[in-house]
Amino acid sequence: MEPNYEVANNKQQEVNVLLRTSLIKMGIEPDSTDDFINTTLTPSILVRPPKKPIAVEGSEDISKTIKTEKPGNIKLSINTLIDQIVKTHPPGMQNKREPWLGIFAFIELLRQISDVQDVTLSENDAMVIWCMWFVRGRRTNTTSGKDLLTKINTHLVRYERSALTEAELETSLKNLEEISAIRQSKNTADCWYLVGWVKRTYQ
């Protein structure tokens, strides 16, 4: 079987359109979206091509000449994304945009390729992911739900953003769990595990 790069290229273009649409929705100027996608988002998104069957000439066994096409996959790495955001938004930079705008485009892409149509994501959801990353336990990649609201709101102060309410946080956690960006920890009660990467197949 050989990789079908034409299909993969088409899928990459489709991904870029979805990212661009989300960035514009979040207030990024249209002329700046391509640069943002290339420098910040693309390193965290890997589109692997599907593989198409190759006919074996002269074979009398039809099972050897016809094989099912192997689907391609899209791998989204939240770890790589946040590393890229930190690199392109150095601490102390004046007038920097909210660093989670790229995360919104990322999780909106995740929602769409996961075909979760009944979830509506918001900027709050992206802020929660961003804050959870910085307040999580580095060894376990988990954050306690008990004081999560306090931790997130303390972190938001540095961006001069309004504090989230308990209801807003609950909605964001539900949304992020629905799209598989976070999940309940299996080892510790009342803890959230921040998923490092998610993979979805496509034809």
Side-chain angles (χ1 to χ4, degrees), residues 63-82:
S63 67
K64 293 182 180 180
T65 62
I66 302 176
K67 296 182 180 180
T68 303
E69 181 168 318
K70 182 179 179 181
N73 63 70
I74 304 174
K75 182 178 180 181
L76 307 178
S77 173
I78 190 71
N79 294 347
T80 302
L81 173 64
I82 295 181

Side-chain angles (χ1 to χ4, degrees), residues 117-180:
Q117 301 302 320
D118 58 342
V119 173
T120 301
L121 299 176
S122 71
E123 184 179 355
N124 283 350
D125 305 325
M127 287 193 298
V128 168
I129 283 282
W130 176 257
C131 293
M132 286 180 73
W133 177 264
F134 289 98
V135 303
R136 79 196 193 285
R138 298 301 176 93
R139 295 181 63 183
T140 62
N141 218 34
T142 60
T143 305
S144 171
K146 184 177 180 181
D147 54 356
L148 181 56
L149 182 62
T150 300
K151 288 180 178 180
I152 287 177
N153 285 334
T154 299
H155 192 77
L156 284 176
V157 167
R158 68 189 64 186
Y159 304 105
E160 299 180 352
R161 296 301 297 255
S162 299
L164 293 181
T165 66
E166 186 172 347
E168 287 172 331
L169 177 59
E170 288 179 2
T171 297
S172 287
L173 292 175
K174 180 180 178 182
N175 289 344
L176 295 171
E177 187 175 26
E178 284 286 334
I179 65 171
S180 302

Side-chain angles (χ1 to χ4, degrees), residues 23-106:
L23 291 172
I24 292 173
K25 179 180 178 180
M26 297 306 293
I28 300 245
E29 293 296 327
D31 292 344
S32 302
T33 56
D34 286 340
D35 183 59
F36 193 101
I37 289 170
N38 292 333
T39 60
T40 305
L41 296 175
T42 297
S44 64
I45 303 169
L46 179 61
V47 178
R48 290 194 174 99
K51 293 184 178 179
K52 53 188 177 182
I54 302 174
V56 180
E57 294 184 6
S59 173
E60 297 179 358
D61 186 348
I62 192 170
S63 67
K64 293 182 180 180
T65 62
I66 302 176
K67 296 182 180 180
T68 303
E69 181 168 318
K70 182 179 179 181
N73 63 70
I74 304 174
K75 182 178 180 181
L76 307 178
S77 173
I78 190 71
N79 294 347
T80 302
L81 173 64
I82 295 181
D83 283 344
Q84 285 299 121
I85 291 175
V86 170
K87 288 177 183 178
T88 56
H89 295 77
M93 179 185 291
Q94 297 298 315
N95 301 319
K96 65 181 181 181
R97 299 195 65 86
E98 287 84 350
W100 52 79
L101 297 186
I103 295 177
F104 176 82
F106 184 91

